[in-house]
Structures are given as structure tokens and as C-alpha cells.
Amino acid sequence: MNGTATVSKDPSAGDTANTSLPSLEAWVAEVAALTRPDRIHWCDGSDAENEALLAGMLADGTMVKLNEQAYPNSYLHRSDPDDVARVEHLTFVCTSDRDDAGPNNHWMAPADGHAKVDALFDGCMQGRTMYVVPYCMGPIDSPLSRCGVEITDSPYVVANMRIMTRMGAPALARIEREGSFVKGLHSIGELDPERRFIMHFPEELTIKSYGSGYGGNALLGKKCHALRIASHQARNEGWLAEHMLILGITSPKGDTHYIAAAFPSACGKTNLAMLIPPEGYLKDGWKVSTIGDDICWMRPGADGRLYAINPESGFFGVAPGTSKKSNANALASLQRDAIFTNVGVTADGQPWWEGIDNGQVPATDWRGEPYDPAKRPAAHPNSRFTVSARACPSYSPEAENPAGVPISAIVFGGRRASLVPLVFEARDWTHGVLVGAAMGSETTAAATGAVGVMRRDPMAMKPFCGYNFADYFAHWLSFDNGRNKLPKVFHVNWFRKGDDGKFLWPGFGDNLRVLEWMIGRAEGTAAAVETPIGHLPAEGSLALDGLELGEEARDKLFGFDREGWRAEFDSIGEYLDSYGERMPQALKDEQQRIASALA
Ligand code: TSX
Ligand code: MN
């Protein structure tokens, strides 16, 4: 990297200083002494730096240039075939007290965790360049934002961090001003699944990740920092770090409501964040804007409402299934300046994946071999695009507002073929926390075990909460303090099926009908009927004009099955009990109240 606008230092000369912050300088020196890189490169985030990195990756095959005419300035990366997803069984939360990590995390004592990975980091960067990547999660001038520094030996990680975070000189300036930052150490190591660990030390605001170059294992700003470490920080500081999209809805009246929504994987979170209204709604003047598609940090403002920022600045989205039909905004976002990981390629060098539905055909699969549908899909099911949020046609300028956006509704959702109606509203905040704690999806892919089995994934945080879920629910409950003006809480299910096994709700753009009802509830204009599980839309209160829903669809989407819910609440009770004594009594009482009402 010598000769670029940025500075490289020769660690053998003991010359690692490139910051006015002694704690950062000392940590970089300490890491260099452990990992022994040939070169240290402090990233400034400049175009020149990015171009030099890309040139290097093209030269060594880390990146492949895609068709410049069809996809200007876009690149394909093929990961190691054994390194294609986050690895939950190798992800640890290292707290001094085991119970602080909770049954929802794998735990190791901090000293053991450090010893385990430091042995792997010992000398691992010999012959390589160590990149020091200062980044800011959230708008650079927002009091809600938090900074970190990732040290990595992967230029692919640097290129992705540049899109996914505010990376470089402005972030370093803020870190030097504030004096504190999350420390993230990453090496791809040997990419050996047997020598792979994603370690979190929340009490030290430290992450150590070894042996993977993929996604959330390696782009440490995302799941490791913005969710696991930040959730711990948020609990101490009185805010929430959540696995939620944020979208804005502007009604024909002209006012905008913001909604934050949590879904388990494979529910179409990115599609919802970039929703395109149905024709009739567009004509009437409705508008949907995107603030974020994955992570939401929120805290009460002076007026007691929750204000949210998207800590990220890009989308690391699942490619398969992304089409003009399912998500035209995402497809438009990735027409240029994109990084693709593990997708297929057409004969003329265009990215391709299952469900892209653009009339083209793949020539090469994600492993770089000739495409053979009998062998494997062209794109890996977890293949990704990385693009700047600013490239999205629905991206809202409010995403850059340092004050954040006020949240009118929090939505929890899941994939439930039976029982759960299209939408219901929690009676109050405590009930809403229970709805979030009990949410989950029925499994879809046969590869993950039995299909149709209910897996609880509280607030979609099961793999991402950096502390004990029982304490997390208590933290959520604490926001109802008599001063805050909290948003309404809803549960949705786009995936209810009829007796014929077909989806009953059209989903996608038509989900705006459900969001419109939520806004009506927040404004006090939409009617509802009370049931033990919460408020259901009153007949005629949720707009269904232009849809052809049969009697079975209406019954199942808007009805309430007392028998079925009685069994569900028994199961929810058992789930809460599995967290033992630490589970807040208020949540157990809420479950009991509803179970009694169902009896
Ligand atoms: O993303 C989805 N959303 C949210 C969109 C804003 N998907 C895709 C899920 C996989 C990631 C959906 N799939 C949604 C949905 O609302 N609903 C469904 C189920 C469904 C699938 C196909 C149809 C309808 C519903 N097709 C027709 O009705 C023609
Ligand atoms: Mn996610």
C-alpha cells in the first residue's frame, strides 16, 4: 500500500504511531507484537486507498471484476467453501460471571477466551498487511453513534467495512476526541473451521475473531459490535440495540411515521425495509422510505419518545430471491459500486442468483466451476451483495439525521403457517415485551432439521444478544417508567397458510395495508377488537380493497383460535421458565394473565 494517500508503517522499526490517542496507539502496537504483520496500514477511507486495495485484490484473485458496462465498478469475491455463514456454535460471550451471558449464549471465562484465541493470533499476520480500520456506527455527528477500530488482515473486510460503516479519517477524529472505542481484532487465519472463534468480551468492549473472512464473523462493526457489544453497552447506558429494520411511511396527509421491525431470518426484512406501495397507494400519495434494513439503535429523547438511528451505512443483503418483483429497490441499489460474495456469474460477467428472474442464465457457480444444476445452485443460498445505503432509491435523508427518527410502532414478526393472525396489537408495553419474547419462526429448510418446527427467537436477537435474555427482557420492561411515551407494539405474520398449503396473504407491497392500520392505531383512528391475545383489526378497519380474499383467508388472517392459543401460551410459559429465577416476574405474570383469560 506504499505510495497511496495513506500511511504505511514498518512495525520492525517500532514505528506504529499514527494517532494522537495513546490507548489506540498502544493497542495497535500490542496487536502488531502478537500477530507480527509485515506492514501496518492505517485506513483513511479515501477513494485512492480503496482503489489501491481493489487493485491488489484483483491481482491476487481475491476479487473478480464484473461486467463494467452492465455493473460499473462492481466485484465478485468467492469465499472459502467452508466459510459461508456466521458460526453460532463458535461464537462466545466471555463475561466474568457465566450467568451474565445467559443460556442464550455460549460462554467462556474471559481469561480462557483470551488465551484460546491469542494462541491462534500469535504470528498469524506474518507476510501479510495489518489494516487498522477506524469506523463509526451511525451518523458521524450523532450522539447516538458509537465508534470502533477493527484490526484485520483481510483487504476484503476493509472494502466491505468502507461500505457498511462510516470508515476512515472522520471516524478516527471522533475516536481521538472521545478517547474510547470498541476494539475488534480479526484475522482470517487458516480459514480452518476447526480453528475458528468469534469471541466477545463485553466488559472490555473487545471482540476477537479468528479463522473466518465471512460476513458477521469478519465485518466486526455489524453483528459483533452493533448488536452483541452494543446491547451490553445499551443496557448500561439506558438505550436499546436491536436487530430491527427502520422504515418511514408518509401518508397522503404528508406526515411521516417511523416503524422499527424485528423478524427472524428468512422473513424478508430487507424487502419490507424497501417496500414499494401497491399501485392504488402510490396514486393516493403514499410513500415508503428506508432508514435501515438490519440494525436499530434507539433511546428516549427529551420528549420521552424513542429516537432511532441505523448504525450502518450499507446493506449486506442475501442475494438469492432478490428480483425486480420481490425488491426492485434492492435490485436498483446494486447496479453499480457493489461487492458480490458467492454469487454465480453469467458468460458475460454479470452476477446471477436463483430468483433474480432477469432472463439471464449462469455460466459459473459460486465455487467458480461451470454451472451444473445437478451439482449445486449457481449462487450459495447465503450469498450476499454489499452496497451503500445511499444507492437505494428509497433511502431517506432522515437516515443521516444525528437526532434519529421518532418511532411510532415496534413490530415483531415470524413465519407461522398456522395459528398466528396477520396482525395484532399488544395491549401495553409489558404485553408487547412478552410478544417479542415469545416470537419465532417455523423452520423452512430441511437442512436445518425438521420442517415446520417452532423455534423461538426473542426479538430476533437469539444469536445477537450479548447478555442473559432474562436481563434483556427486564431492560426492555424498564422503559415503561411513567415518563416515556413509548411506541405501540404489534405482531405480524405474512406467512399464514390455508388448508391447501398456500399462502393466504399476498405480502410484499400489500403489507403496507397492515402498516397503514398500525399508523391508524398510533393516531387513534383505526378500530380494533379486544381478545385475550391483544387487539385485532375490527372488520373494515384494515383496507382490503382490490384483494381477493376468500372466507377461509379472512377467518384465518383476522380470526382468533382460543384452543390453539391456549396450547401456545402453555408453550410460552415453559419457555419463560427455561430462563429460571432471573426471568422478570412481570413477564411471567403477563403470561399467566393471558393464559387465564384463554382458559
Ligand atoms: O419478503 C417477503 N415478504 C415481505 C415483503 C415486504 N417474502 C419473501 C420471504 C423470503 C425472504 C414473502 N413471501 C412475503 C412477504 O410479505 N410473503 C411471502 C409468501 C408469499 C409468496 C408468494 C406469493 C404470495 C405470498 N405469491 C403470490 O401471491 C402470487
Ligand atoms: Mn440480520
Side-chain angles (χ1 to χ4, degrees), residues 187-273:
S187 172
I188 58 173
E190 308 91 320
L191 294 174
D192 176 357
E194 301 296 315
R195 288 160 61 81
R196 181 174 294 164
F197 289 101
I198 323 297
M199 297 275 192
H200 304 75
F201 305 90
E203 292 151 1
E204 304 162 45
L205 302 184
T206 294
I207 305 154
K208 293 184 177 179
S209 167
Y210 185 90
S212 166
Y214 204 86
N217 297 335
L219 313 178
L220 301 186
K222 197 175 178 62
K223 305 302 191 182
C224 299
H225 177 163
L227 288 175
R228 296 194 193 96
I229 297 289
S231 62
H232 171 99
Q233 237 177 341
R235 181 189 176 209
N236 290 337
E237 298 173 4
W239 50 284
L240 291 165
E242 298 302 323
H243 190 202
M244 291 178 176
L245 65 88
I246 312 166
L247 57 76
I249 300 170
T250 308
S251 73
K253 287 184 289 174
D255 45 30
T256 302
H257 283 276
Y258 294 93
I259 293 179
F263 292 86
S265 55
C267 288
K269 220 164 108 200
T270 301
N271 299 341
L272 185 63

Side-chain angles (χ1 to χ4, degrees), residues 112-301:
D112 295 346
H114 283 299
K116 189 118 200 152
V117 280
D118 286 356
L120 299 172
F121 277 111
D122 193 356
C124 73
M125 294 188 192
Q126 288 173 80
R128 306 176 62 87
T129 300
M130 179 175 112
Y131 300 93
V132 181
V133 185
Y135 63 87
C136 180
M137 300 310 292
I140 201 90
D141 52 353
S142 170
L144 284 79
S145 300
R146 292 289 183 278
C147 291
V149 177
E150 175 166 356
I151 296 179
T152 179
D153 55 8
S154 163
Y156 164 83
V157 164
V158 178
N160 276 273
M161 286 292 284
R162 184 168 185 266
I163 297 172
M164 296 304 297
T165 73
R166 279 88 169 170
M167 181 271 259
L172 181 58
R174 177 168 170 161
I175 290 165
E176 288 171 342
R177 203 165 59 239
E178 292 183 334
S180 69
F181 58 96
V182 169
K183 294 173 182 168
L185 171 55
H186 169 253
S187 172
I188 58 173
E190 308 91 320
L191 294 174
D192 176 357
E194 301 296 315
R195 288 160 61 81
R196 181 174 294 164
F197 289 101
I198 323 297
M199 297 275 192
H200 304 75
F201 305 90
E203 292 151 1
E204 304 162 45
L205 302 184
T206 294
I207 305 154
K208 293 184 177 179
S209 167
Y210 185 90
S212 166
Y214 204 86
N217 297 335
L219 313 178
L220 301 186
K222 197 175 178 62
K223 305 302 191 182
C224 299
H225 177 163
L227 288 175
R228 296 194 193 96
I229 297 289
S231 62
H232 171 99
Q233 237 177 341
R235 181 189 176 209
N236 290 337
E237 298 173 4
W239 50 284
L240 291 165
E242 298 302 323
H243 190 202
M244 291 178 176
L245 65 88
I246 312 166
L247 57 76
I249 300 170
T250 308
S251 73
K253 287 184 289 174
D255 45 30
T256 302
H257 283 276
Y258 294 93
I259 293 179
F263 292 86
S265 55
C267 288
K269 220 164 108 200
T270 301
N271 299 341
L272 185 63
M274 301 178 187
L275 179 147
I276 294 175
E279 203 54 53
Y281 278 75
L282 282 173
K283 224 175 280 156
D284 290 347
W286 289 83
K287 206 180 139 221
V288 172
S289 53
T290 308
I291 303 285
D293 82 327
D294 196 36
I295 303 178
C296 167
W297 286 358
M298 50 191 163
R299 74 153 67 211

Side-chain angles (χ1 to χ4, degrees), residues 266-269 271-272 275 415 494-495 503 505-509 511:
C267 288
K269 220 164 108 200
N271 299 341
L272 185 63
L275 179 147
R415 185 184 272 269
W494 316 135
F495 302 94
F503 292 115
W505 179 248
F508 299 94
N511 293 335

